[in-house]
mmCIF file with all atom_site columns, all heavy atoms in Angstrom:
data_model
loop_
_atom_site.group_PDB
_atom_site.id
_atom_site.type_symbol
_atom_site.label_atom_id
_atom_site.label_alt_id
_atom_site.label_comp_id
_atom_site.label_asym_id
_atom_site.label_entity_id
_atom_site.label_seq_id
_atom_site.pdbx_PDB_ins_code
_atom_site.Cartn_x
_atom_site.Cartn_y
_atom_site.Cartn_z
_atom_site.occupancy
_atom_site.B_iso_or_equiv
_atom_site.pdbx_formal_charge
_atom_site.auth_seq_id
_atom_site.auth_comp_id
_atom_site.auth_asym_id
_atom_site.auth_atom_id
_atom_site.pdbx_PDB_model_num
ATOM   1  N  N   . CYS T 1 19 ? 95.658  1.005  10.478 1.00 97.00 ? 49  CYS T N   1
ATOM   2  C  CA  . CYS T 1 19 ? 96.473  1.363  11.643 1.00 97.00 ? 49  CYS T CA  1
ATOM   3  C  C   . CYS T 1 19 ? 96.673  0.149  12.554 1.00 97.00 ? 49  CYS T C   1
ATOM   4  O  O   . CYS T 1 19 ? 97.782  -0.123 13.007 1.00 97.00 ? 49  CYS T O   1
ATOM   5  C  CB  . CYS T 1 19 ? 95.828  2.522  12.391 1.00 97.00 ? 49  CYS T CB  1
ATOM   6  S  SG  . CYS T 1 19 ? 96.880  3.187  13.689 1.00 97.00 ? 49  CYS T SG  1
ATOM   7  N  N   . HIS T 1 23 ? 100.436 -0.345 12.419 1.00 96.00 ? 53  HIS T N   1
ATOM   8  C  CA  . HIS T 1 23 ? 101.087 0.466  13.461 1.00 96.00 ? 53  HIS T CA  1
ATOM   9  C  C   . HIS T 1 23 ? 100.900 -0.124 14.855 1.00 96.00 ? 53  HIS T C   1
ATOM   10 O  O   . HIS T 1 23 ? 101.503 0.342  15.803 1.00 96.00 ? 53  HIS T O   1
ATOM   11 C  CB  . HIS T 1 23 ? 100.574 1.917  13.399 1.00 96.00 ? 53  HIS T CB  1
ATOM   12 C  CG  . HIS T 1 23 ? 100.758 2.543  12.046 1.00 96.00 ? 53  HIS T CG  1
ATOM   13 N  ND1 . HIS T 1 23 ? 99.920  3.490  11.522 1.00 96.00 ? 53  HIS T ND1 1
ATOM   14 C  CD2 . HIS T 1 23 ? 101.709 2.307  11.094 1.00 96.00 ? 53  HIS T CD2 1
ATOM   15 C  CE1 . HIS T 1 23 ? 100.350 3.831  10.308 1.00 96.00 ? 53  HIS T CE1 1
ATOM   16 N  NE2 . HIS T 1 23 ? 101.415 3.119  10.026 1.00 96.00 ? 53  HIS T NE2 1
ATOM   17 N  N   . THR T 1 25 ? 98.853  -0.007 17.253 1.00 83.00 ? 55  THR T N   1
ATOM   18 C  CA  . THR T 1 25 ? 98.554  0.820  18.421 1.00 83.00 ? 55  THR T CA  1
ATOM   19 C  C   . THR T 1 25 ? 97.155  0.472  18.910 1.00 83.00 ? 55  THR T C   1
ATOM   20 O  O   . THR T 1 25 ? 96.370  -0.145 18.192 1.00 83.00 ? 55  THR T O   1
ATOM   21 C  CB  . THR T 1 25 ? 98.599  2.324  18.066 1.00 83.00 ? 55  THR T CB  1
ATOM   22 O  OG1 . THR T 1 25 ? 97.879  2.505  16.855 1.00 83.00 ? 55  THR T OG1 1
ATOM   23 C  CG2 . THR T 1 25 ? 99.999  2.813  17.917 1.00 83.00 ? 55  THR T CG2 1
ATOM   24 N  N   . CYS T 1 29 ? 96.880  5.745  15.828 1.00 97.00 ? 59  CYS T N   1
ATOM   25 C  CA  . CYS T 1 29 ? 98.115  6.478  16.119 1.00 97.00 ? 59  CYS T CA  1
ATOM   26 C  C   . CYS T 1 29 ? 97.916  7.935  15.665 1.00 97.00 ? 59  CYS T C   1
ATOM   27 O  O   . CYS T 1 29 ? 96.988  8.230  14.897 1.00 97.00 ? 59  CYS T O   1
ATOM   28 C  CB  . CYS T 1 29 ? 99.296  5.829  15.405 1.00 97.00 ? 59  CYS T CB  1
ATOM   29 S  SG  . CYS T 1 29 ? 99.315  6.127  13.634 1.00 97.00 ? 59  CYS T SG  1
ATOM   30 N  N   . CYS T 1 32 ? 97.571  8.479  11.819 1.00 98.00 ? 62  CYS T N   1
ATOM   31 C  CA  . CYS T 1 32 ? 96.320  7.980  11.243 1.00 98.00 ? 62  CYS T CA  1
ATOM   32 C  C   . CYS T 1 32 ? 95.131  8.826  11.702 1.00 98.00 ? 62  CYS T C   1
ATOM   33 O  O   . CYS T 1 32 ? 94.179  9.027  10.952 1.00 98.00 ? 62  CYS T O   1
ATOM   34 C  CB  . CYS T 1 32 ? 96.119  6.504  11.577 1.00 98.00 ? 62  CYS T CB  1
ATOM   35 S  SG  . CYS T 1 32 ? 97.284  5.450  10.697 1.00 98.00 ? 62  CYS T SG  1
HETATM 36 ZN ZN1 . LIG H 2 .  ? 98.403  4.414  12.439 1.00 74.84 ? 224 LIG H ZN1 1
#
Side-chain angles (χ1 to χ4, degrees):
C49 189
H53 304 149
T55 46
C59 74
C62 290

